[in-house]
Structure formats: structure tokens, C-alpha cells
Amino acid sequence: MTTTLPAPALQDPMTAPMLEVSGLNFYYGESHILRDVSMTIPKGQMVCLIGRNGVGKTTMLKNIMGVLRPRTGEIRFEGQVVNSFPPDRRARLGIGYVPQGREVIPRLTVRENLLIGQEALGSRGKAQKEVPEEIYELFPVLKDMLDRMGGDLSGGQQQQLAIARAIMGQPKLLVLDEPTEGIQPSIILDIEAAVKKIIRTTGISVLLVEQHLHFVRQADYYYAMQRGGIVANGPTSELTNDIIQEFLAV
Ligand SMILES: Nc1ncnc2c1ncn2[C@@H]1O[C@H](COP(=O)(O)OP(=O)(O)O)[C@@H](O)[C@H]1O
Ligand SMILES: [Mg+2]
């Protein structure tokens, strides 16, 4: 006689991927924006989501963060279904988010912006009164600007501040929405190097939405989105010129 076991509600957090999205569908009103999207982010890996403007990349990240709720589908973080969790709870579980357009708080100083990032620690860590040295090792430019207003920084500096603020919350998964958009090439390389260093030194996972090909190539895996559906995926080493032409605005 054979017995069939029901699927476990909670996967083993030790072996589960960092993030697993399955069969996700999202609608804005009657518009079907995300179509059966499935995506896996292994622990300690960087995964890049590519696709042209308007295909649904930001909508996907907002569903992962809980800013938007899918109609169907499941979002698991370290094996736990988080669909019903609001954004602040997902942040405290360890999902750090740098939204498109970065959103630093203009009327707070750089130091205050950074310290606020610790709210995401929740019970996972103890908030510090000062910014740890590692943050300046990642983003040296911030050290000389601690007392400046966030809004007075250049676009590239604000982006570095936004990423640094997310790191202050010691995320397990860092979600970045077009961090190099509108930023000059030299700073793009600084941001790229900082993200790689974060992965190397902390072992966290990264989900990156990006148009800049050099940065895309730093990821371990890619997913390509078209009209709200995933149409190609694989290791970034297998990114062909055809795929790049089709899915990146190069
Ligand atoms: N608040 C909204 N209400 C209705 N439609 C929206 C809203 N925000 C975005 N959209 C639409 O959803 C689609 C996906 O948008 P988005 O996720 O921002 O794309 P991407 O980040 O890939 O450029 C687009 O067609 C866009 O016009
Ligand atoms: Mg977008």
C-alpha cells in the first residue's frame, strides 16, 4: 500500500532557496500585468531580471516586497510563504529594497538616512548609534557627507546612500530596481563593485533589475521578461547577443 504525503507547508529554511516565486499573476484593475511568473533566487547568488520598459519588472519587485499583492501565486522567503505579510514585516524578515528612483529622504541628513535603515533589523539585530565603518568601505563618498541633507546629494551619491541604507538593515536578500538608471558611467562601476563586495563579504542574495549590460553580466543567473511573462532564463554566461538585443535597451 502506498501513501501520498501532502506537500510541506514550511520548507526547511536551511535548504530552501532564499526566494522562490511560483505561478504569480498580478492585475492592475482588469489589466493582466504579470503572467504566471516563477523565479528562484538561490542563497548567496545574484539574479538579474531583464526586460524592456513597461514589461512588469518593477511590478514584480513590488509584489515580492508586498507593496502590491498578487491575485494568484506564491512567494516564499527562506521556505516560508510571505504572501500575507505587509512590506515592513518582509523587511524585518530580511528583504532589503531599493526602489526605482531610490527615494532617499531629502530633508534628513545622510547620517539620519543611514541610521533609519536599521528599522529593518527588527529582532534580528541591535541598532547602533553610529554608522559602522564597513558602510564607508563600501561607499567612501558617504563618509564626507554625513551631515549633508540627502536631497543635496547628486543622483549617483543618492543611489549609493539608498543601497547603503538598505545594507544597514542587514538584509539576507537585497532587491535593487535599476540602480544605475540615469547615473554617470564612473559611478555605475563604483555601485557594481560595491554590490559585488557586499555579496562576497556577507554572502547575501541579490535580485537586480538592470539595463546596463556590464552590470547584468555580473549576475549568476538571468530571467528575461516580456509582456509580464518570463520568456528566457539561465546562467548569465549563456546570455547571447540575440537575447541582449531583444531584452536590453542597448
Ligand atoms: N499604478 C499603475 N496603474 C496601472 N498600470 C500601471 C501602474 N503602474 C504601472 N502600470 C503598468 O504596468 C506595466 C508594467 O509596469 P512596470 O512594472 O513599471 O514596468 P517596468 O518596471 O518593466 O518598466 C506597464 O504597462 C505600466 O504602464
Ligand atoms: Mg521599472
Side-chain angles (χ1 to χ4, degrees), residues 21-28 34 36-37 59-60 62-75 81-85 90:
V21 178
S22 50
L24 190 138
N25 284 279
F26 174 83
Y27 293 72
Y28 272 122
L34 296 177
D36 267 320
V37 177
T59 306
M60 180 65 193
K62 287 180 175 172
N63 273 270
I64 289 168
M65 290 316 302
V67 178
L68 298 171
R69 297 296 173 89
R71 188 174 290 185
T72 60
E74 202 172 65
I75 302 167
V81 177
V82 298
N83 285 54
S84 64
F85 296 179
R90 296 188 202 193

mmCIF file of all heavy atoms in Angstrom, residues 21-28 34 36-37 59-60 62-75 81-85 90:
data_model
loop_
_atom_site.group_PDB
_atom_site.id
_atom_site.type_symbol
_atom_site.label_atom_id
_atom_site.label_comp_id
_atom_site.label_asym_id
_atom_site.label_seq_id
_atom_site.Cartn_x
_atom_site.Cartn_y
_atom_site.Cartn_z
ATOM 1 N N VAL A 21 9.442 32.238 -6.145
ATOM 2 C CA VAL A 21 8.146 32.743 -6.583
ATOM 3 C C VAL A 21 7.574 31.716 -7.549
ATOM 4 O O VAL A 21 8.290 31.245 -8.434
ATOM 5 C CB VAL A 21 8.289 34.106 -7.295
ATOM 6 C CG1 VAL A 21 6.943 34.605 -7.802
ATOM 7 C CG2 VAL A 21 8.933 35.134 -6.376
ATOM 8 N N SER A 22 6.297 31.344 -7.363
ATOM 9 C CA SER A 22 5.727 30.381 -8.304
ATOM 10 C C SER A 22 4.332 30.783 -8.750
ATOM 11 O O SER A 22 3.495 31.182 -7.934
ATOM 12 C CB SER A 22 5.716 28.976 -7.695
ATOM 13 O OG SER A 22 5.159 29.001 -6.417
ATOM 14 N N GLY A 23 4.136 30.721 -10.041
ATOM 15 C CA GLY A 23 2.828 30.941 -10.658
ATOM 16 C C GLY A 23 2.165 32.260 -10.307
ATOM 17 O O GLY A 23 0.952 32.329 -10.100
ATOM 18 N N LEU A 24 2.953 33.328 -10.273
ATOM 19 C CA LEU A 24 2.404 34.612 -9.815
ATOM 20 C C LEU A 24 1.667 35.353 -10.936
ATOM 21 O O LEU A 24 2.179 35.517 -12.044
ATOM 22 C CB LEU A 24 3.554 35.473 -9.272
ATOM 23 C CG LEU A 24 3.147 36.744 -8.544
ATOM 24 C CD1 LEU A 24 3.993 36.923 -7.297
ATOM 25 C CD2 LEU A 24 3.323 37.949 -9.440
ATOM 26 N N ASN A 25 0.443 35.757 -10.633
ATOM 27 C CA ASN A 25 -0.349 36.584 -11.545
ATOM 28 C C ASN A 25 -0.769 37.845 -10.828
ATOM 29 O O ASN A 25 -1.260 37.797 -9.693
ATOM 30 C CB ASN A 25 -1.591 35.828 -12.025
ATOM 31 C CG ASN A 25 -1.244 34.790 -13.075
ATOM 32 O OD1 ASN A 25 -1.087 35.091 -14.242
ATOM 33 N ND2 ASN A 25 -1.082 33.545 -12.630
ATOM 34 N N PHE A 26 -0.550 38.984 -11.508
ATOM 35 C CA PHE A 26 -0.932 40.270 -10.907
ATOM 36 C C PHE A 26 -1.703 41.100 -11.926
ATOM 37 O O PHE A 26 -1.367 41.128 -13.115
ATOM 38 C CB PHE A 26 0.316 41.046 -10.442
ATOM 39 C CG PHE A 26 -0.024 42.423 -9.967
ATOM 40 C CD1 PHE A 26 -0.481 42.625 -8.670
ATOM 41 C CD2 PHE A 26 0.063 43.514 -10.822
ATOM 42 C CE1 PHE A 26 -0.841 43.895 -8.239
ATOM 43 C CE2 PHE A 26 -0.306 44.787 -10.393
ATOM 44 C CZ PHE A 26 -0.749 44.971 -9.098
ATOM 45 N N TYR A 27 -2.724 41.788 -11.448
ATOM 46 C CA TYR A 27 -3.551 42.657 -12.296
ATOM 47 C C TYR A 27 -3.575 44.068 -11.727
ATOM 48 O O TYR A 27 -3.675 44.242 -10.510
ATOM 49 C CB TYR A 27 -5.007 42.157 -12.318
ATOM 50 C CG TYR A 27 -5.217 40.831 -12.990
ATOM 51 C CD1 TYR A 27 -4.794 39.653 -12.390
ATOM 52 C CD2 TYR A 27 -5.873 40.756 -14.216
ATOM 53 C CE1 TYR A 27 -4.997 38.423 -13.004
ATOM 54 C CE2 TYR A 27 -6.084 39.533 -14.839
ATOM 55 C CZ TYR A 27 -5.647 38.368 -14.233
ATOM 56 O OH TYR A 27 -5.847 37.161 -14.838
ATOM 57 N N TYR A 28 -3.456 45.060 -12.603
ATOM 58 C CA TYR A 28 -3.844 46.430 -12.238
ATOM 59 C C TYR A 28 -5.263 46.587 -12.755
ATOM 60 O O TYR A 28 -5.456 46.661 -13.974
ATOM 61 C CB TYR A 28 -2.944 47.470 -12.914
ATOM 62 C CG TYR A 28 -1.697 47.828 -12.145
ATOM 63 C CD1 TYR A 28 -0.437 47.667 -12.710
ATOM 64 C CD2 TYR A 28 -1.765 48.374 -10.859
ATOM 65 C CE1 TYR A 28 0.721 48.022 -12.024
ATOM 66 C CE2 TYR A 28 -0.613 48.725 -10.166
ATOM 67 C CZ TYR A 28 0.612 48.546 -10.748
ATOM 68 O OH TYR A 28 1.757 48.892 -10.068
ATOM 69 N N LEU A 34 1.294 40.733 -14.673
ATOM 70 C CA LEU A 34 2.268 39.642 -14.507
ATOM 71 C C LEU A 34 1.579 38.321 -14.779
ATOM 72 O O LEU A 34 0.502 38.051 -14.250
ATOM 73 C CB LEU A 34 2.869 39.650 -13.092
ATOM 74 C CG LEU A 34 3.700 40.883 -12.737
ATOM 75 C CD1 LEU A 34 4.173 40.804 -11.287
ATOM 76 C CD2 LEU A 34 4.899 41.036 -13.672
ATOM 77 N N ASP A 36 1.850 34.345 -14.724
ATOM 78 C CA ASP A 36 2.444 33.059 -14.323
ATOM 79 C C ASP A 36 3.951 33.124 -14.099
ATOM 80 O O ASP A 36 4.687 32.281 -14.583
ATOM 81 C CB ASP A 36 2.162 31.991 -15.397
ATOM 82 C CG ASP A 36 0.907 31.218 -15.059
ATOM 83 O OD1 ASP A 36 0.722 30.920 -13.859
ATOM 84 O OD2 ASP A 36 0.119 30.933 -15.979
ATOM 85 N N VAL A 37 4.385 34.126 -13.380
ATOM 86 C CA VAL A 37 5.830 34.307 -13.197
ATOM 87 C C VAL A 37 6.351 33.380 -12.104
ATOM 88 O O VAL A 37 5.821 33.349 -10.994
ATOM 89 C CB VAL A 37 6.167 35.773 -12.838
ATOM 90 C CG1 VAL A 37 7.667 35.912 -12.581
ATOM 91 C CG2 VAL A 37 5.724 36.702 -13.955
ATOM 92 N N THR A 59 6.786 46.060 -11.148
ATOM 93 C CA THR A 59 5.587 45.439 -10.571
ATOM 94 C C THR A 59 5.955 44.126 -9.883
ATOM 95 O O THR A 59 5.455 43.807 -8.796
ATOM 96 C CB THR A 59 4.547 45.196 -11.688
ATOM 97 O OG1 THR A 59 4.309 46.436 -12.362
ATOM 98 C CG2 THR A 59 3.240 44.662 -11.132
ATOM 99 N N MET A 60 6.855 43.371 -10.497
ATOM 100 C CA MET A 60 7.322 42.105 -9.922
ATOM 101 C C MET A 60 8.002 42.363 -8.573
ATOM 102 O O MET A 60 7.703 41.685 -7.579
ATOM 103 C CB MET A 60 8.291 41.457 -10.925
ATOM 104 C CG MET A 60 8.861 40.141 -10.483
ATOM 105 S SD MET A 60 7.576 38.901 -10.333
ATOM 106 C CE MET A 60 8.473 37.648 -9.441
ATOM 107 N N LYS A 62 7.661 44.890 -6.589
ATOM 108 C CA LYS A 62 6.677 45.370 -5.603
ATOM 109 C C LYS A 62 5.831 44.227 -5.044
ATOM 110 O O LYS A 62 5.402 44.275 -3.894
ATOM 111 C CB LYS A 62 5.780 46.454 -6.227
ATOM 112 C CG LYS A 62 6.500 47.782 -6.418
ATOM 113 C CD LYS A 62 5.572 48.821 -7.025
ATOM 114 C CE LYS A 62 6.254 50.177 -7.097
ATOM 115 N NZ LYS A 62 5.425 51.157 -7.860
ATOM 116 N N ASN A 63 5.589 43.208 -5.863
ATOM 117 C CA ASN A 63 4.880 42.021 -5.359
ATOM 118 C C ASN A 63 5.757 41.254 -4.368
ATOM 119 O O ASN A 63 5.273 40.738 -3.363
ATOM 120 C CB ASN A 63 4.454 41.106 -6.511
ATOM 121 C CG ASN A 63 3.114 41.486 -7.103
ATOM 122 O OD1 ASN A 63 2.070 41.009 -6.658
ATOM 123 N ND2 ASN A 63 3.119 42.379 -8.082
ATOM 124 N N ILE A 64 7.044 41.195 -4.658
ATOM 125 C CA ILE A 64 7.963 40.497 -3.749
ATOM 126 C C ILE A 64 8.039 41.236 -2.416
ATOM 127 O O ILE A 64 8.103 40.620 -1.354
ATOM 128 C CB ILE A 64 9.357 40.352 -4.407
ATOM 129 C CG1 ILE A 64 9.288 39.336 -5.550
ATOM 130 C CG2 ILE A 64 10.427 39.960 -3.385
ATOM 131 C CD1 ILE A 64 10.511 39.305 -6.450
ATOM 132 N N MET A 65 7.995 42.568 -2.479
ATOM 133 C CA MET A 65 8.093 43.369 -1.251
ATOM 134 C C MET A 65 6.772 43.462 -0.491
ATOM 135 O O MET A 65 6.753 43.854 0.663
ATOM 136 C CB MET A 65 8.543 44.796 -1.590
ATOM 137 C CG MET A 65 9.971 44.917 -2.042
ATOM 138 S SD MET A 65 11.129 43.959 -1.039
ATOM 139 C CE MET A 65 10.877 44.626 0.593
ATOM 140 N N GLY A 66 5.664 43.148 -1.160
ATOM 141 C CA GLY A 66 4.364 43.257 -0.506
ATOM 142 C C GLY A 66 3.712 44.622 -0.664
ATOM 143 O O GLY A 66 2.677 44.892 -0.066
ATOM 144 N N VAL A 67 4.306 45.476 -1.487
ATOM 145 C CA VAL A 67 3.694 46.773 -1.788
ATOM 146 C C VAL A 67 2.451 46.543 -2.649
ATOM 147 O O VAL A 67 1.462 47.265 -2.556
ATOM 148 C CB VAL A 67 4.703 47.688 -2.522
ATOM 149 C CG1 VAL A 67 4.094 49.022 -2.885
ATOM 150 C CG2 VAL A 67 5.974 47.876 -1.675
ATOM 151 N N LEU A 68 2.535 45.509 -3.508
ATOM 152 C CA LEU A 68 1.389 45.062 -4.299
ATOM 153 C C LEU A 68 1.143 43.596 -3.971
ATOM 154 O O LEU A 68 2.067 42.881 -3.599
ATOM 155 C CB LEU A 68 1.676 45.214 -5.800
ATOM 156 C CG LEU A 68 1.938 46.630 -6.319
ATOM 157 C CD1 LEU A 68 2.415 46.575 -7.768
ATOM 158 C CD2 LEU A 68 0.682 47.496 -6.204
ATOM 159 N N ARG A 69 -0.119 43.154 -4.110
ATOM 160 C CA ARG A 69 -0.459 41.758 -3.804
ATOM 161 C C ARG A 69 -0.907 41.033 -5.060
ATOM 162 O O ARG A 69 -1.758 41.541 -5.800
ATOM 163 C CB ARG A 69 -1.598 41.711 -2.767
ATOM 164 C CG ARG A 69 -1.243 42.313 -1.415
ATOM 165 C CD ARG A 69 -0.142 41.511 -0.742
ATOM 166 N NE ARG A 69 0.321 42.155 0.480
ATOM 167 C CZ ARG A 69 -0.194 41.957 1.685
ATOM 168 N NH1 ARG A 69 -1.207 41.130 1.840
ATOM 169 N NH2 ARG A 69 0.295 42.574 2.731
ATOM 170 N N PRO A 70 -0.352 39.839 -5.310
ATOM 171 C CA PRO A 70 -0.752 39.084 -6.499
ATOM 172 C C PRO A 70 -2.167 38.529 -6.365
ATOM 173 O O PRO A 70 -2.661 38.346 -5.247
ATOM 174 C CB PRO A 70 0.270 37.936 -6.539
ATOM 175 C CG PRO A 70 0.679 37.730 -5.129
ATOM 176 C CD PRO A 70 0.608 39.086 -4.470
ATOM 177 N N ARG A 71 -2.798 38.268 -7.499
ATOM 178 C CA ARG A 71 -4.120 37.623 -7.471
ATOM 179 C C ARG A 71 -3.952 36.138 -7.186
ATOM 180 O O ARG A 71 -4.689 35.561 -6.395
ATOM 181 C CB ARG A 71 -4.848 37.842 -8.797
ATOM 182 C CG ARG A 71 -6.287 37.369 -8.749
ATOM 183 C CD ARG A 71 -7.064 37.712 -10.017
ATOM 184 N NE ARG A 71 -7.330 39.141 -10.152
ATOM 185 C CZ ARG A 71 -8.074 39.653 -11.124
ATOM 186 N NH1 ARG A 71 -8.613 38.858 -12.039
ATOM 187 N NH2 ARG A 71 -8.275 40.945 -11.201
ATOM 188 N N THR A 72 -2.961 35.523 -7.840
ATOM 189 C CA THR A 72 -2.636 34.123 -7.545
ATOM 190 C C THR A 72 -1.125 33.959 -7.514
ATOM 191 O O THR A 72 -0.392 34.811 -8.000
ATOM 192 C CB THR A 72 -3.199 33.168 -8.621
ATOM 193 O OG1 THR A 72 -2.621 33.518 -9.883
ATOM 194 C CG2 THR A 72 -4.703 33.244 -8.731
ATOM 195 N N GLY A 73 -0.697 32.849 -6.954
ATOM 196 C CA GLY A 73 0.732 32.545 -6.902
ATOM 197 C C GLY A 73 1.268 32.634 -5.495
ATOM 198 O O GLY A 73 0.579 33.104 -4.587
ATOM 199 N N GLU A 74 2.491 32.137 -5.342
ATOM 200 C CA GLU A 74 3.062 32.008 -4.015
ATOM 201 C C GLU A 74 4.449 32.646 -3.991
ATOM 202 O O GLU A 74 5.226 32.484 -4.925
ATOM 203 C CB GLU A 74 3.179 30.519 -3.697
ATOM 204 C CG GLU A 74 3.257 30.200 -2.241
ATOM 205 C CD GLU A 74 3.159 28.691 -2.029
ATOM 206 O OE1 GLU A 74 4.069 27.968 -2.475
ATOM 207 O OE2 GLU A 74 2.164 28.248 -1.446
ATOM 208 N N ILE A 75 4.725 33.342 -2.899
ATOM 209 C CA ILE A 75 6.052 33.928 -2.699
ATOM 210 C C ILE A 75 6.604 33.344 -1.406
ATOM 211 O O ILE A 75 6.010 33.521 -0.330
ATOM 212 C CB ILE A 75 5.963 35.464 -2.588
ATOM 213 C CG1 ILE A 75 5.325 36.054 -3.845
ATOM 214 C CG2 ILE A 75 7.360 36.065 -2.353
ATOM 215 C CD1 ILE A 75 4.899 37.503 -3.711
ATOM 216 N N VAL A 81 5.970 30.970 3.317
ATOM 217 C CA VAL A 81 5.070 31.732 2.450
ATOM 218 C C VAL A 81 4.829 33.109 3.084
ATOM 219 O O VAL A 81 4.410 33.204 4.238
ATOM 220 C CB VAL A 81 3.723 30.997 2.261
ATOM 221 C CG1 VAL A 81 2.769 31.843 1.412
ATOM 222 C CG2 VAL A 81 3.947 29.641 1.597
ATOM 223 N N VAL A 82 5.129 34.177 2.329
ATOM 224 C CA VAL A 82 5.030 35.536 2.893
ATOM 225 C C VAL A 82 3.912 36.355 2.236
ATOM 226 O O VAL A 82 3.792 37.549 2.502
ATOM 227 C CB VAL A 82 6.378 36.293 2.779
ATOM 228 C CG1 VAL A 82 7.468 35.576 3.571
ATOM 229 C CG2 VAL A 82 6.811 36.472 1.319
ATOM 230 N N ASN A 83 3.083 35.707 1.407
ATOM 231 C CA ASN A 83 2.036 36.436 0.676
ATOM 232 C C ASN A 83 1.213 37.386 1.541
ATOM 233 O O ASN A 83 0.844 38.466 1.112
ATOM 234 C CB ASN A 83 1.068 35.447 0.008
ATOM 235 C CG ASN A 83 1.648 34.792 -1.215
ATOM 236 O OD1 ASN A 83 2.719 34.218 -1.145
ATOM 237 N ND2 ASN A 83 0.955 34.879 -2.339
ATOM 238 N N SER A 84 0.917 36.961 2.772
ATOM 239 C CA SER A 84 0.016 37.779 3.597
ATOM 240 C C SER A 84 0.774 38.818 4.430
ATOM 241 O O SER A 84 0.151 39.595 5.144
ATOM 242 C CB SER A 84 -0.779 36.861 4.541
ATOM 243 O OG SER A 84 0.119 36.227 5.442
ATOM 244 N N PHE A 85 2.110 38.854 4.322
ATOM 245 C CA PHE A 85 2.885 39.767 5.165
ATOM 246 C C PHE A 85 2.979 41.163 4.542
ATOM 247 O O PHE A 85 3.308 41.289 3.358
ATOM 248 C CB PHE A 85 4.309 39.252 5.384
ATOM 249 C CG PHE A 85 4.412 37.952 6.128
ATOM 250 C CD1 PHE A 85 5.651 37.383 6.367
ATOM 251 C CD2 PHE A 85 3.288 37.281 6.595
ATOM 252 C CE1 PHE A 85 5.780 36.182 7.048
ATOM 253 C CE2 PHE A 85 3.401 36.077 7.270
ATOM 254 C CZ PHE A 85 4.650 35.531 7.495
ATOM 255 N N ARG A 90 8.099 41.965 5.871
ATOM 256 C CA ARG A 90 9.050 41.327 4.936
ATOM 257 C C ARG A 90 10.435 41.954 5.106
ATOM 258 O O ARG A 90 11.447 41.250 5.040
ATOM 259 C CB ARG A 90 8.555 41.468 3.488
ATOM 260 C CG ARG A 90 7.240 40.732 3.287
ATOM 261 C CD ARG A 90 6.812 40.685 1.830
ATOM 262 N NE ARG A 90 5.377 40.459 1.743
ATOM 263 C CZ ARG A 90 4.721 40.127 0.636
ATOM 264 N NH1 ARG A 90 5.377 39.980 -0.504
ATOM 265 N NH2 ARG A 90 3.418 39.953 0.649
#
